[in-house]
Amino acid sequence: MEAFRGRRQRRQRWLWRWRRNPLRRRADVVEGWVLLGAWLLTLLAGAALGLASARGVERGLAQERAASRPVVAHVVAHAPGRSGARSSSGERVWAEVRWTAADGSPRTGHVRVTPGAATGAPVAVWTDARGRLANRPATPTEAAVRAAFIGTLAGAAAAAVPFAAGRLLLARLERHRLSRWDTEWARLGPQWGRMAG
C-alpha cells in the first residue's frame, strides 16, 4: 500500500501544474504547457531529423557502392623504396598504375602501393561509373555504422534547438514571475509590517 501511495504522490507532483488547485497560478499552467511542448518538439525533431539523416547517408553510400567496381591495375614504373620493404606502420608509396576501363579505354592514375613494387605488379583499385579512380566504397556494415553515427549527431543537434528554446522560455517566464512577485511584495509587504505591530 505504501509503494502504491508513493507512486501516486510522485505522479501528482509531476502533474501539479494541470491539477485544479486554488493556489495554482496562470503562470504555472503556461509553464507546464511550455515544458510539455518543448519536450515533445525535442523528441520529435530529434527523431525525425536523425532518421532522415541516417536514411540519406545510407542511401548515398549504397549508390556509391553500386556505382563503384573493383579493377586490377598494373604498376607502370618501379615504385620507390626497397622491394617488399613495408614499414611496421603499413606505410605505402605513390606509384602510377594503368588499367582498362569498362568501355575498353586504357586509363592511368596514381595510387598507393607497397614500397618497391615492380613494374607490372597487379594492384587492386576501385573505379567509378566513368572508369576514374575512386575510393573503396563502404561495406553495408560500415555504411550502417556511419549512417547511425551521423543520424545520431544530426538528431542530437536537431533536438538541441527546441530544448534550448524551451529552457530559455522557461527562464524568461521565471524572471517574469519573480518580477511580478517583487512588485506585489513591494505593494503588500509594508501592510504586513503594520499588522504585526
Side-chain angles (χ1 to χ4, degrees):
M1 187 68 172
E2 197 64 34
F4 177 73
R5 192 177 309 139
R7 207 175 318 134
R8 184 174 175 204
Q9 286 174 346
R10 280 195 302 270
R11 189 175 66 232
Q12 286 178 351
R13 196 176 327 131
W14 189 78
L15 296 173
W16 71 270
R17 288 182 172 99
W18 288 281
R19 283 194 345 235
R20 294 210 181 275
N21 184 335
L23 298 177
R24 182 182 70 179
R25 299 164 294 188
R26 185 172 159 253
D28 296 330
V29 175
V30 170
E31 257 186 38
W33 284 110
V34 166
L35 187 62
L36 180 65
W39 276 109
L40 284 175
L41 283 175
T42 297
L43 290 173
L44 290 175
L49 192 65
L51 288 172
S53 297
R55 284 186 188 134
V57 167
E58 204 156 6
R59 191 178 315 114
L61 291 174
Q63 288 171 350
E64 182 182 301
R65 196 169 39 255
S68 300
R69 67 184 199 98
V71 174
V72 176
H74 299 280
V75 177
V76 173
H78 188 79
R82 273 189 334 192
S83 179
R86 193 168 179 183
S87 71
S88 59
S89 65
E91 189 175 321
R92 296 170 73 86
V93 296
W94 287 101
E96 186 177 4
V97 295
R98 178 175 288 128
W99 69 96
T100 303
D103 63 3
S105 62
R107 303 287 175 98
T108 59
H110 287 82
V111 297
R112 289 190 174 271
V113 298
T114 56
T119 302
V123 178
V125 296
W126 286 88
T127 60
D128 61 14
R130 295 181 180 166
R132 296 176 301 194
L133 285 176
N135 291 327
R136 179 186 68 83
T139 65
T141 303
E142 291 170 340
V145 169
R146 202 177 299 174
F149 180 70
I150 292 173
T152 301
L153 287 179
V161 173
F163 179 77
R167 299 304 298 171
L168 288 172
L169 189 54
L170 286 172
R172 187 172 178 187
L173 288 170
E174 178 73 16
R175 281 195 305 271
H176 179 68
R177 182 174 53 234
L178 290 175
S179 170
R180 287 185 61 193
W181 196 6
D182 286 344
T183 304
E184 285 294 314
W185 186 252
R187 188 173 63 85
L188 296 175
Q191 294 176 5
W192 280 71
R194 279 184 288 177
M195 288 182 203

